[in-house]
Amino acid sequence: MQSELIVDVKPADVSIALTEDTRLVSLQKEARNIAYAVGDIYLAKVKKLMPGLNAAFVNVGYEKDAFLHYLDLGSQFSSYYEFVKTALSDKKKTPQLQRMKRLPDINKQGSVTEVLQQGQELLVQIVKEPISSKGPRLTTEITFTGRYMVLIPFGDKISISQKIKTTEEKVRLRQLIEAIKPKNFGVIIRTSAEGKRVAELNNELKTLLRCWEETIAKAQKATAPALVFEEESRIVGMLRDVFSPSFEAIHVNDADVFGQIKKYVELIAPDRADIVKLYDKAEPIFDHFNITRQIKSSFGKTVSFRSGAYLIIEHTEALHVIDVNSGNRSKASNDQETNALEVNMRAADEIARQLRLRDMGGIIVIDFIDMNKQEHRQKLYDHMRELMANDRARHNILPLSKFGLMQITRQRVRPAMDIITAEDCPSCYGKGTVQPSLLFTDTLKEKIDYLTGDLEKAGFIMYVHPFVDAYIKKGLLSLYRKWRMDAPRKFRIMSDQSLAYLQYRVVDAEGNEIDLKEEKDIDSSATKSKSKTKIRTKEKEE
């Protein structure tokens, strides 16, 4: 199976698409300057205790107070808070955790009022980003994640990934980490550490320890609420979780991000550094690798998957609901039971892909086509478990109920990705009437004359819908050729699959977008709508 990563870097956000045999299986999208992301550490202040919930609301600077449950304080909270209190009381001297004596664990059945008080300052880490109307969820069990291991201050335990199967390797890694880790630090050894040398593990451990020391030093100088730790590069953080040395290629369309990713790959897999490739063509990178088309077909409410069968995917505040429909599928067999099993098995393939693709979490309820035979229901259940085995998010799958429903719980740490595939009309901006499409080429010509003449711009690219691009470039003496001959400066027109039919965008020679939207473009349709309304009102009065 050929796997590739395509990284689309834009000024406001970055998208990472994972493909297997050119088929999109995972898509991550994040703002480049996102706040309150999973893993960020804040110096925060307890705002309100809620004994009924056995939790506290904490001010981390977000518009909604963050939520900290008693169970998320961790068993080592006494040692943690003693250290934090010492560090914040003497800002000139940074305490050494290795020299500290650990205190007894707190009571697992205790109350939040026994250990926290209003106004108390804490170091907290985001474990769940703000979702809908809820603020972030927090923990005081601080962790620092690397490629090969996770460092846990105030712990002392060494845990090893269950995906490392051989006993000899587990013993080797445990002995190595025991020899190099400092006192009062726990370590979780990740799957990627398998077969790694002690020098590589030691280098990463030192890096994570430095992150811990810098976080404490920054917290001592900060005033709550304040961000005291975030990863150097959000893009590298996203890549770390999906990267595999088995990738055929990683394509990036930004030179700076290309450098960051290449440096990261050189660090963790030096022999694979050549898989990172800079994409420098004018065609949008997602269009070139057919990602845009797959996104448009995969993120709607209705998703077709084979022979007329389709899924309907609905989202609510509490759960996600997926309905499986056979549609107008031509039946290969007169046996309804066999036909239902075949549709359900293919639907399971697409559902497992959709869960990863949209990063759907929480409770997922799937309404499969009813099957009467127990062996068929068990076969579908086993097939879904097999498909979900490669899903990195923690999940639990229940067998089909007597109503034919399958229930899945999947770890949710970020809002589900919900990409709107329906397009707003670029001509009327939702007003209901559009400018004549026949005159759209005149609009484009006006913009080109304005750019090349009035603004004296050269080397810019105008992106249009593929149908419009094909129309203006048809024939030997095409409109495109005439426009280029008439213009005093050079420019190009290219297609962009992400654009609506009568939509365009322009980027200059440096890749910066030029805003050509004029007030008349927005107001003209609205004015027409108002005029019609007035005429109709007058007719009624008469």
Side-chain angles (χ1 to χ4, degrees):
M1 183 180 293
Q2 182 177 341
S3 298
E4 290 185 318
L5 276 184
I6 295 93
V7 184
D8 183 16
V9 182
K10 295 180 179 177
D13 55 50
V14 57
S15 301
I16 297 181
L18 171 62
T19 64
E20 293 176 355
D21 292 334
T22 71
R23 189 166 182 252
L24 180 66
V25 295
S26 177
L27 180 68
Q28 294 188 50
K29 187 173 184 178
E30 281 194 14
R32 297 187 70 175
N33 298 316
I34 190 171
Y36 307 101
V38 172
D40 287 353
I41 300 175
Y42 285 81
L43 178 64
K45 190 173 288 188
V46 177
K47 189 171 181 181
K48 189 177 183 181
L49 299 180
M50 302 293 290
L53 298 174
N54 204 18
F57 285 107
V58 180
N59 180 15
V60 292
Y62 187 66
E63 58 187 87
K64 300 272 187 180
D65 289 330
F67 184 79
L68 176 63
H69 195 272
Y70 179 84
L71 296 177
D72 291 323
L73 296 177
S75 58
Q76 286 293 320
F77 181 78
S78 298
S79 302
Y80 152 88
Y81 184 62
E82 185 64 29
F83 179 87
V84 171
K85 186 169 66 173
T86 303
L88 297 180
S89 60
D90 185 0
K91 298 182 182 287
K92 294 182 180 179
K93 183 180 179 182
T94 304
Q96 298 298 311
L97 180 55
Q98 298 92 317
R99 300 174 185 174
M100 178 182 172
K101 184 178 179 181
R102 292 170 64 192
L103 300 175
D105 292 358
I106 62 172
N107 181 9
K108 289 184 179 180
Q109 307 300 324
S111 171
V112 70
T113 55
E114 297 171 359
V115 292
L116 295 181
Q117 58 186 12
Q118 193 170 340
Q120 191 172 349
E121 288 190 335
L122 302 171
L123 269 182
V124 294
Q125 190 166 33
I126 308 288
V127 292
K128 187 180 289 186
E129 293 176 6
I131 296 175
S132 186
S133 60
K134 301 174 183 176
R137 181 153 185 169
L138 310 175
T139 182
T140 57
E141 290 188 285
I142 306 297
T143 59
F144 294 88
T145 304
R147 175 66 181 162
Y148 306 127
M149 68 187 74
V150 179
L151 182 70
I152 309 172
F154 308 103
D156 209 24
K157 184 180 177 183
I158 297 175
S159 303
I160 301 178
S161 169
Q162 294 180 354
K163 293 182 180 179
I164 299 177
K165 301 298 183 183
T166 60
T167 305
E168 296 83 0
E169 181 63 8
K170 287 183 177 181
V171 171
R172 183 187 78 89
L173 290 170
R174 186 179 295 276
Q175 291 176 343
L176 280 179
I177 298 300
E178 281 179 347
I180 62 177
K181 88 170 183 67
K183 185 182 176 183
N184 294 334
F185 284 92
V187 172
I188 299 173
I189 302 172
R190 304 185 72 183
T191 310
S192 53
E194 188 171 10
K196 299 302 177 184
R197 297 172 298 164
V198 64
E200 295 174 272
L201 299 176
N202 192 40
N203 285 339
E204 181 163 277
L205 181 61
K206 287 181 178 178
T207 302
L208 297 178
L209 285 168
R210 196 180 311 120
C211 290
W212 161 252
E213 292 164 0
E214 290 172 355
T215 299
I216 297 302
K218 194 170 180 180
Q220 288 181 303
K221 299 174 184 176
T223 302
L227 175 66
V228 294
F229 172 79
E230 64 177 340
E231 296 189 31
E232 290 183 9
S233 171
R234 181 70 55 197
I235 297 167
V236 170
M238 292 168 64
L239 179 66
R240 182 187 61 214
D241 294 331
V242 299
F243 178 78
S244 169
S246 63
F247 285 154
E248 293 290 326
I250 301 174
H251 301 278
V252 193
N253 65 344
D254 182 89
D256 292 337
V257 176
F258 166 78
Q260 293 176 22
I261 293 177
K262 191 172 182 66
K263 183 179 178 182
Y264 175 73
V265 175
E266 286 173 345
L267 180 67
I268 62 173
D271 57 324
R272 302 289 290 153
D274 59 340
I275 68 173
V276 186
K277 300 174 182 177
L278 180 62
Y279 178 87
D280 55 1
K281 298 178 182 176
E283 183 184 10
I285 187 169
F286 271 15
D287 286 9
H288 182 79
F289 290 99
N290 198 34
I291 303 298
T292 305
R293 182 178 292 276
Q294 294 189 63
I295 291 173
K296 295 271 188 182
S297 64
S298 300
F299 278 88
K301 176 181 174 181
T302 302
V303 179
S304 300
F305 57 92
R306 183 172 291 186
S307 304
Y310 61 94
L311 307 175
I312 295 178
I313 303 175
E314 296 276 10
H315 306 277
T316 72
E317 184 74 17
L319 49 80
H320 305 279
V321 182
I322 302 176
D323 184 31
V324 179
N325 292 276
S326 59
N328 58 357
R329 181 179 180 275
S330 58
K331 295 177 174 55
S333 168
N334 292 326
D335 181 3
Q336 184 178 353
E337 181 75 11
T338 304
N339 192 60
L341 174 63
E342 184 183 342
V343 173
N344 285 340
M345 295 288 276
R346 301 290 72 78
D349 295 340
E350 182 61 28
I351 289 168
R353 171 177 173 256
Q354 287 288 329
L355 296 185
R356 291 175 63 190
L357 196 57
R358 303 188 188 211
D359 201 13
M360 293 162 64
I363 300 172
I364 300 117
V365 178
I366 307 167
D367 181 13
F368 284 105
I369 298 172
D370 290 341
M371 296 182 294
N372 296 320
K373 294 183 180 180
Q374 178 58 35
E375 59 265 31
H376 287 173
R377 296 154 74 96
Q378 184 64 37
K379 186 176 181 180
L380 176 60
Y381 171 63
D382 293 339
H383 184 58
M384 180 60 83
R385 290 186 62 184
E386 184 182 337
L387 292 169
M388 294 286 287
N390 295 326
D391 196 331
R392 292 184 300 109
R394 290 196 303 271
H395 59 272
N396 187 31
I397 306 172
L398 296 182
L400 271 75
S401 71
K402 63 181 179 180
F403 298 117
L405 302 177
M406 179 180 287
Q407 299 171 67
I408 300 176
T409 59
R410 188 173 182 273
Q411 181 186 23
R412 177 168 70 173
V413 295
R414 295 181 175 89
M417 184 173 292
D418 188 18
I419 295 177
I420 305 299
T421 55
E423 298 169 345
D424 287 334
C425 173
S427 184
C428 73
Y429 300 93
K431 303 298 181 185
T433 55
V434 300
Q435 298 169 13
S437 55
L438 188 64
L439 303 181
F440 183 60
T441 52
D442 295 345
T443 301
L444 296 181
K445 181 64 165 64
E446 287 177 12
K447 302 299 182 184
I448 290 169
D449 291 343
Y450 175 64
L451 285 164
T452 56
D454 297 2
L455 297 185
E456 299 182 352
K457 292 278 185 182
F460 63 85
I461 302 175
M462 175 178 281
Y463 291 98
V464 295
H465 188 275
F467 291 175
V468 177
D469 180 67
Y471 174 75
I472 62 178
K473 290 181 179 178
K474 70 173 182 178
L476 290 175
L477 194 59
S478 63
L479 285 174
Y480 178 52
R481 188 173 180 182
K482 291 178 183 176
W483 293 351
R484 283 172 63 93
M485 290 171 62
D486 294 343
R489 290 169 182 81
K490 291 184 178 180
F491 68 92
R492 284 188 292 168
I493 294 179
M494 298 194 68
S495 68
D496 184 346
Q497 296 175 15
S498 67
L499 296 178
Y501 179 48
L502 298 182
Q503 190 177 7
Y504 65 92
R505 66 184 183 93
V506 180
V507 296
D508 61 21
E510 287 74 38
N512 301 312
E513 191 150 342
I514 303 172
D515 186 6
L516 291 175
K517 195 181 295 178
E518 298 177 29
E519 189 175 345
K520 70 179 180 66
D521 295 336
I522 302 174
D523 292 344
S524 58
S525 295
T527 305
K528 291 176 185 177
S529 297
K530 289 178 183 176
S531 300
K532 285 185 177 181
T533 304
K534 287 178 181 177
I535 292 168
R536 287 169 185 161
T537 306
K538 191 174 181 182
E539 287 173 352
K540 286 183 179 180
E541 288 173 355
E542 291 174 351

